[in-house]
Amino acid sequence: MATVTNPSTASTGSLTAKALREATFTAVMTFLMFVLFVGLKTDQNMRNELILVPRWGLLAIFVIIAFVGRFAMVAWLQPWRTARKAAKDAAPAQTTDAGFVKRNFSKLAILALVLYPPIILSLFGAQGSLKYIDNFGIQILIYVMLAWGLNIVVGLAGLLDLGYVAFYAVGAYSYALLSINFGFSFWILLPLAGILSAFWGIILGFPVLRLKGDYLAIVTLAFGEIIRLVLINWQDVTQGTFGISGIPKITLFGIPFDASPHGFAKIFNLPMSSAYYKVFLFYLILLLCLLTAFVTIRLRRLPIGRAWEALREDEIACRSLGINTVTTKLTAFAIGAMFGGFAGSFFAARQGFVSPESFVFLESAVILSIVVLGGMGSLTGIAIAAIAMVGGTELLREMDFLKHIFGPDFTPELYRMLIFGLAMITMMLVRPRGFVGSREPTAFLFERKNVSGSFTKEGHG
Amino acid sequence: MEYFIQQLINGLTLGSIYGLIAIGYTMVYGIIGMINFAHGDIFMLGGFAGLIVYLLIMTVFGGAPIAVALLCMLIVAMAATSLWNWSIERVAYRPLRGSFRLAPLITAIGVSIALSNFIQVTQGPRNKPIPQMVNSVYTIEGISISLKQIVIVIITVALLAAFWYIVEKTPLGRAQRATEQDRKMAALLGIDVDRTISITFVMGAALAAVAGTMFLMYYGVIVFTDGFVPGVKAFTAAVLGGIGSLPGAVIGGLLIGLIESLWSAYFTIAYKDVATFAILAFVLIFKPSGLLGRPEVEKV
Amino acid sequence: MSAMASTMNNDAILKVEHLSMRFGGLMAINDLSFEVRRGEITALIGPNGAGKTTVFNCITGFYKPTMGMISMQQKDGKSFFLERMADFEVTRDAKVARTFQNIRLFSGLTLLENLLVAQHNALMKASGYTVLGLLGFKSYKDASKEATEKARYWLEKASLIDRADDPAGDLPYGAQRRLEIARAMCTGPELLCLDEPAAGLNPRESQELNKLLRSIRADNGTSLLLIEHDMSVVMEISDHVVVLEYGQKISDGDPAHVKNDPRVIAAYLGVDDDEVETVRHEVEEGAN
Ligand SMILES: Nc1ncnc2c1ncn2[C@@H]1O[C@H](COP(=O)(O)OP(=O)(O)OP(=O)(O)O)[C@@H](O)[C@H]1O
Ligand SMILES: [Mg+2]
């Protein structure tokens, strides 16, 4: 390691002056930006009229934080970073052999997930583990599945889809309506919901195929909104904003998870607990995720998957090679939508309740950001991003201890989405190419070498 | 017939607001090819700035003539949102310029989420109603036009004229158009590209602030989620008109306003947004680059 | 020209008849007719903006011509009217492949993957339109192996085999040109259209390219139609030259004939005959 030479006193002085200057500028800007929104609060008085409540103290805290933060950044963080970078460049580039963990990452990850419920159960008991299996396990896995599904459209085929949640909704409502009205079981409706979603994927895909880039983005967004608005307004069927409740639970090949004599607990002579159902659901969604991953990995090695990636790189070249880009795009839409539909019907079964609230644009945006943050096309990266984003926000729900610091009025829940948004910005700035920026080739002659992210394109759509 | 003209006037008012927001989308898109998803929330921020200034005038300064109050609201809102958009561009978009195209889109979505929740946290989640600011209504042959509608249309037209002048006739506008065509070449010719882009964000934000203030005045209420729907509608308007085209944005905005009010008047109000989006999809199928957008030639 | 026709067999693989293409007010091609004969290398030359690339775009279905007919006659007798076909069908069914003036590679895919994408249609069939492939049937595995062998053959032929597992975007310019040709050949074409394959190559690379093109014709029986500005390449390898100016044909015949055609010299070369000769010599010396 190269030793970092101490900067001379003269440059330290000028650095401090520079830091002071920039910190002052930032502080002034912060003051001007926040004076209206933080310095003053609109509130209602007894007569329900709006009044202004000043919060100068809070504003002062904001300004001071901005000043100190900026000063620290310019004076200490940036020089440290450049020094570290220089040291890194000076050090000989060493080719580290991929360690055991790295080489077998996916196998280990699957093993860990399979062992997760029993470990949690033994640690926290049946009741205490609910939260961990449901909120952290199932919730994250649903997003992993959705993001992997969208990855086919955005990450592989390079088509920007801002309305993915529509297919999730189609899947959820298909399950909800068909199981309530016709009494079909989950195992019949799961593939059916997938097919219906794929069908809608094609319906949407067909007219928009001619559109390029951002036109495609807005039409997919519009399509997502149309589906949601129809769900809200078509009250005879969907019951509008009230949503549909009492959706039947999933059975384990006919064995229901309830207190009846044929129930799971009775048959296996276990004490009654809702934890079994949750564990069952956990394994089910894990299985669905693995199916998605398996299919995606297989598809990438098939001509259709290669054609998707080629489409992302250069559509015109694709056509010059005799590839029918229309059907290629449609299959991407359809297969991506199908996984959205699977996830949707699982979601409906797990919640027992669906309403249009769950299918707002924000959901599409979150799923898309998981795909991009993970690194387009990379299953591992996307799974990590899903854990970080969804797990992170779930963690924020748990921040009750903050009440002890900020007083009982403090609701951490309120800050959840604010922090979520800020985290999205920060992560993107730190890693614009996502967690896993490189691409794994689908075939090799001599040696499998990952393709650096600087060569891959992101598609025109 | 009277009913129809009445709806036409309502539609034009609404369309003016959409048009003003749409210009911000279209300008930013034209110059850096990015969908600025946070623009709707900038609009909402402008509305809140207007609201706070209004309350300041009414409660702290003991009131003022309506015209003066409105002018103060507009000016402060424009200044505040410009400052915000300038900072946002500096922090969240500029470092990503020239990298991966989807990266700034994602940060923009992040900014959008952060902005609306910032207002929720600092200003509270409830609706913020204000009393009618301007309430005279003129009735001509059975058609009633409220003063606030006239104010909105006049301000929109005045701003558009000023704006058109800036873009077409000033060196700044020339720099913008040059940057739009070829950023590298513009930089080689001595145009400060970063500054030009910053100014574009500032201009877009200022127009959105005007739209936000007028939205507040027109509906008399604002809430932290109000950025989304008008934002999406304005974005739709920009695309409908042909994204990148300034007259297209205005025409798109007016069209969406008209579709919305006429559909609500003659069909069901429930499906008015469905109608808007469906018409957008329909237009794009036949004119893939919008009404006034330059068709993209596929150079082989 | 008439002398030409008698020495060669008359089997035309591609016939362009009365082709016109209008862009708004601009007649990019005006009533153009010419033939490409089977087994030959035909060159299409002309000054910048003459409409050469536009001719290619009409042949390969990227543009729909305003008027005219383009017919393709395959070895087994099947014939196609290319102006009626979609771009991807021209390659898939009529077996006409092309390269682009501005290289269009899949830069994020490896060389091998580029060549596998080019065999899309064959592999698609072998994978049972994805279904059988997804289920892991053996037929796809075999076809996949075969496709890899074909790719290896073309990588070797284009002297790119060492870089088979690198991303295409990482190749130097000359190698990218060769890869694009190899990729087009992987579609199994009967006619290969090359848009300025020698542009930007140094004399050595240019010689290598000539060798590659000749062997494509000799070993694979593919006919070639190429647009070229580099006179040394045109004179050296082509059997037949068509000259275009302002969208119209001004000369058509063997290289010697065209080279001495005063209209061509006046319109296109703009230089004396012997100057062309010296240029050619220089290039050849550079190569040796
Ligand atoms: N899609 C298009 N739209 C409008 N004009 C076009 C289009 N494609 C080509 N042109 C015009 O047609 C004319 C012929 O262009 P073309 O590219 O075919 O020339 P070229 O002979 O290939 O020239 P070069 O040697 O420079 O490649 C040019 O004037 C060009 O501007
Ligand atoms: Mg050309």
Side-chain angles (χ1 to χ4, degrees), chain A residues 415-451:
Chain A
Y415 294 83
R416 202 166 66 99
M417 287 318 283
L418 177 61
I419 294 172
F420 182 82
L422 293 175
M424 241 163 105
I425 302 168
T426 317
M427 287 207 264
M428 216 62 242
L429 287 174
V430 176
R431 306 213 64 159
R433 282 255 158 202
F435 293 145
V436 180
S438 63
R439 168 182 177 276
E440 193 183 330
T442 60
F444 63 98
L445 265 190
F446 308 112
E447 171 192 8
R448 192 186 288 283
K449 288 187 272 192
N450 276 3
V451 175

Side-chain angles (χ1 to χ4, degrees), chain C residues 12-80:
Chain C
I13 183 166
L14 183 83
K15 260 193 221 158
V16 174
E17 287 165 275
H18 306 292
L19 182 71
S20 296
M21 180 82 214
R22 180 198 286 280
F23 296 114
L26 174 83
M27 267 315 234
I29 312 172
N30 196 354
D31 196 30
L32 173 73
S33 304
F34 70 94
E35 275 182 19
V36 177
R37 279 183 288 268
R38 189 178 309 285
E40 282 193 3
I41 297 183
T42 306
L44 186 61
I45 65 172
N48 287 117
K52 306 177 296 291
T53 301
T54 307
V55 172
F56 265 38
N57 286 336
C58 291
I59 293 176
T60 51
F62 280 91
Y63 293 164
K64 289 280 154 259
T66 317
M67 239 185 324
M69 237 165 57
I70 307 167
S71 54
M72 164 85 194
Q73 187 84 25
Q74 283 181 357
K75 253 183 241 151
D76 56 13
K78 264 193 252 163
S79 66
F80 297 86

Side-chain angles (χ1 to χ4, degrees), chain C residues 203-214:
Chain C
R204 220 181 71 97
E205 286 175 323
S206 178
Q207 281 303 322
E208 268 175 40
L209 178 79
N210 288 355
K211 227 174 68 194
L212 177 64
L213 297 188
R214 281 216 194 85

Side-chain angles (χ1 to χ4, degrees), chain C residues 45-248:
Chain C
I45 65 172
N48 287 117
K52 306 177 296 291
T53 301
T54 307
V55 172
F56 265 38
N57 286 336
C58 291
I59 293 176
T60 51
F62 280 91
Y63 293 164
K64 289 280 154 259
T66 317
M67 239 185 324
M69 237 165 57
I70 307 167
S71 54
M72 164 85 194
Q73 187 84 25
Q74 283 181 357
K75 253 183 241 151
D76 56 13
K78 264 193 252 163
S79 66
F80 297 86
F81 290 107
L82 302 186
E83 80 278 3
R84 296 182 196 163
M85 297 166 75
D87 40 22
F88 70 94
E89 292 169 336
V90 169
T91 308
R92 190 186 64 187
D93 304 330
K95 297 196 182 305
V96 178
R98 71 170 291 178
T99 66
F100 296 89
Q101 188 166 354
N102 309 309
I103 304 178
R104 287 182 173 274
L105 288 172
F106 306 124
S107 56
L109 309 191
T110 66
L111 272 61
L112 176 67
E113 287 177 306
N114 266 273
L115 300 193
L116 290 177
V117 171
Q119 302 176 52
H120 178 82
N121 289 313
L123 286 173
M124 202 66 183
K125 230 176 254 158
S127 71
Y129 296 92
T130 309
V131 182
L132 302 184
L134 203 55
L135 299 174
F137 270 62
K138 194 169 165 296
S139 66
Y140 174 66
K141 283 187 186 138
D142 295 342
S144 175
K145 241 183 231 131
E146 223 171 275
T148 310
E149 281 317 305
K150 188 170 181 182
R152 183 200 292 274
Y153 169 83
W154 280 107
L155 284 172
E156 268 163 6
K157 204 151 173 168
S159 357
L160 293 167
I161 191 78
D162 303 337
R163 310 226 34 194
D165 297 322
D166 291 334
D170 200 20
L171 290 180
Y173 191 76
Q176 292 200 1
R177 284 251 175 243
R178 289 202 301 279
L179 177 62
E180 209 190 9
I181 295 172
R183 189 181 66 181
M185 285 311 293
C186 278
T187 63
E190 288 193 18
L191 174 67
L192 176 64
C193 303
L194 303 172
D195 199 343
E196 305 202 10
L201 301 191
N202 62 35
R204 220 181 71 97
E205 286 175 323
S206 178
Q207 281 303 322
E208 268 175 40
L209 178 79
N210 288 355
K211 227 174 68 194
L212 177 64
L213 297 188
R214 281 216 194 85
S215 94
I216 284 177
R217 175 175 59 162
D219 308 345
N220 307 91
T222 307
S223 318
L224 279 96
L225 172 64
L226 59 107
I227 295 176
E228 197 42 83
H229 277 302
D230 186 338
M231 273 305 132
S232 70
V233 176
V234 173
M235 294 302 151
E236 205 178 314
I237 69 168
S238 52
D239 305 301
H240 175 187
V241 182
V242 176
V243 190
L244 223 57
E245 191 194 17
Y246 296 121
Q248 276 170 319

